[in-house]
Amino acid sequence: MQVSETLQGKKFTLEEVVEFTDLIAEKLDGAIDKVDNINHKTHVLSVNASIEAARAGTFGRPFGIVAANMSELSDETIKITERMRKDTKEILEVGTLIKSQSKEYRGNRLSDLALVNIDLIDRNLYERTADVRWWATDGNVVDALMKKTKDVYELASQRLNVILQAYTVYYDLVLADVDGNIVVNGNKEKYSSVNSNVASTKWFTSAIRTKSGSEFGFQSVNRSPLVNNDLAIVYSAAVREHGDTKGKIIGVLGVIFKWESLSQTIINHTPIDEDEKKHTRICIVDNDGLILADSEGKMLKETLQFDKKTSLFGEKKNYMFTEYAGTQCCIGHALSPGFENYSTGWHSVILQKLINHGKKSKS
């Protein structure tokens, strides 16, 4: 009664089913051993009874009949226990098959979920590359860098602020001259980035090196001082004379994207039930394993390392079973698939601990 009440309504994993199968087989083996032991004693008694009946002659005949029946019962018991052992072996074979299939199912499921996560990120970030290239040709933006007066700077700031109100995925939009000095930003009420120099940043230098307006610059996940050290990604595009895609570069527009809002929303909505989440870690990492997004909140604080990571990261999508942080895990992985010729090149990883409930002791 206690067992049924405990198990009622409980969801079992395939691994737990295998565990229970092994336990049942173990208990059956124990019961069969006991039956064999009793049967052996019965057989010995029947043999002894037959000997004594033979010695007693006519008077021992009834006793001999009982001994013969005991012997037949013993033989039949042997046949039954042999069949039971065969059945137990089949149960174990089924358990082994389930165990193999459950590992394959778990691995494929986690790698599928990992692929969905990184695909969503690629698709969303592709839009950011389109945004910055478009806005870099805006008339107010171009005028600010060509005319360089207080009035045109103010108009450019107002224009960037209008864009920010429509595109709430950005912290701020900043405009720098060719020397890397920020002359305009859109969210000046919250961020005072004007007069900051960004000449050494990756987003600025990569944009300055572009050959045409169809290219863009980029800086990976970082804590940007331009937005009070919040986690951000910066996409950038060169601003060119007269907005001409082949014109002379006169500055750089940077769009500072709210990385944590996107990444943590995707990670937190990964379709894994609450029980699984207790022993599952969901991450986005770069090629070195640096954690860029994390269900444990350790962005930029930790590098993911595990045995044969390089091999797994070399594949587009796969899984492996290995030890991580002292615990056996299933690790599902998917490489950024890209979208419309854009790819982050990042890796989506889901690590799930293999919980060992342990076999119950024999009663």
Side-chain angles (χ1 to χ4, degrees):
M1 183 65 178
Q2 288 181 332
V3 172
S4 63
E5 287 177 351
T6 301
L7 300 183
Q8 188 176 9
K10 176 177 171 60
K11 293 180 180 179
F12 293 100
T13 64
L14 288 173
E15 288 85 354
E16 287 174 318
V17 171
V18 173
E19 190 174 300
F20 291 138
T21 301
D22 289 345
L23 179 61
I24 290 169
E26 182 181 313
K27 288 187 174 295
L28 281 172
D29 269 340
I32 293 168
D33 286 342
K34 289 180 180 179
V35 171
D36 275 345
N37 186 45
I38 294 169
N39 189 49
H40 175 69
K41 293 177 180 179
T42 301
H43 180 69
V44 171
L45 285 172
S46 70
V47 170
N48 289 336
S50 296
I51 293 170
E52 293 301 323
R55 286 178 179 173
T58 303
F59 296 105
R61 189 175 298 165
F63 197 35
I65 294 171
V66 173
N69 288 335
M70 289 175 66
S71 180
E72 290 176 5
L73 180 61
S74 176
D75 292 341
E76 187 63 28
T77 302
I78 290 173
K79 293 177 183 177
I80 291 171
T81 55
E82 286 176 351
R83 285 199 297 269
M84 289 178 68
R85 286 195 188 281
K86 182 180 178 182
D87 290 343
T88 302
K89 183 180 178 183
E90 290 177 355
I91 291 173
L92 288 172
E93 288 173 352
V94 169
T96 300
L97 179 61
I98 293 174
K99 188 180 295 184
S100 173
Q101 292 180 343
S102 69
K103 290 180 70 174
E104 184 178 348
Y105 169 78
R106 184 199 289 264
N108 283 327
R109 175 171 172 262
L110 294 184
S111 59
D112 285 344
L113 292 173
L115 178 59
V116 170
N117 284 355
I118 193 65
D119 183 54
L120 287 171
I121 287 171
D122 273 5
R123 288 171 181 269
N124 189 288
L125 295 185
Y126 165 75
E127 297 295 332
R128 313 290 68 88
T129 71
D131 289 345
V132 71
R133 285 176 287 179
W134 173 30
W135 297 332
T137 64
D138 184 272
N140 293 113
V141 169
V142 175
D143 282 349
L145 293 174
M146 291 188 69
K147 298 177 180 178
K148 301 181 180 180
T149 66
K150 184 177 180 181
D151 288 342
V152 293
Y153 284 164
E154 180 60 28
L155 286 174
S157 179
Q158 291 174 9
R159 172 59 179 152
L160 295 182
N161 185 260
V162 169
I163 293 173
L164 285 171
Q165 290 177 38
Y167 291 80
T168 57
V169 296
Y170 296 105
Y171 288 113
D172 202 3
L173 308 183
V174 296
L175 185 62
D177 63 20
V178 288
D179 295 320
N181 298 307
I182 293 180
V183 294
V184 171
N185 75 308
N187 193 359
K188 60 183 182 180
E189 291 185 3
K190 188 171 184 180
Y191 305 115
S192 54
S193 56
V194 172
N195 296 323
S196 300
N197 187 278
V198 294
S200 62
T201 62
K202 289 182 180 179
W203 65 266
F204 180 85
T205 56
S206 57
I208 284 290
R209 290 195 298 266
T210 57
K211 304 297 183 183
S212 74
S214 63
E215 300 175 28
F216 62 90
F218 169 75
Q219 183 168 352
S220 186
V221 180
N222 68 100
R223 292 198 173 276
S224 174
L226 299 178
V227 290
N228 301 333
N229 293 317
D230 281 329
L231 279 174
I233 295 175
V234 185
Y235 286 91
S236 55
V239 180
R240 298 171 185 271
E241 282 185 335
H242 308 297
D244 185 348
T245 58
K246 294 290 186 179
K248 178 184 176 182
I249 294 176
I250 54 176
V252 172
L253 175 68
V255 297
I256 307 173
F257 178 69
K258 297 177 181 178
W259 165 244
E260 197 167 2
S261 295
L262 170 68
S263 61
Q264 295 307 112
T265 297
I266 289 173
I267 281 177
N268 292 336
H269 285 83
T270 302
I272 292 177
D273 66 39
E274 292 304 314
D275 286 340
E276 280 187 287
K277 283 184 179 179
K278 294 174 184 176
H279 51 271
T280 302
R281 186 177 188 182
I282 306 169
C283 307
I284 302 295
V285 304
D286 66 12
N287 270 326
D288 296 323
L290 177 65
I291 294 176
L292 308 177
D294 184 22
S295 58
E296 295 186 359
K298 298 179 180 178
M299 292 76 76
L300 303 182
K301 296 179 181 178
E302 188 176 313
T303 299
L304 205 61
Q305 296 291 351
F306 53 87
D307 189 34
K308 298 182 180 178
K309 183 191 78 175
T310 302
S311 175
L312 185 63
F313 278 20
E315 300 185 58
K316 290 183 178 179
K317 176 176 169 290
N318 210 339
Y319 64 88
M320 68 186 306
F321 289 83
T322 190
E323 186 174 294
Y324 175 74
T327 304
Q328 282 298 313
C329 294
C330 176
I331 303 177
H333 161 265
L335 175 64
S336 161
F339 180 72
E340 296 288 345
N341 298 319
Y342 170 77
S343 172
T344 58
W346 296 337
H347 302 264
S348 178
V349 181
I350 301 180
L351 305 98
Q352 194 166 85
K353 295 178 182 178
L354 302 180
I355 303 301
N356 182 13
H357 298 278
K359 292 183 178 181
K360 313 293 187 294
S361 59
K362 295 181 186 179
S363 56

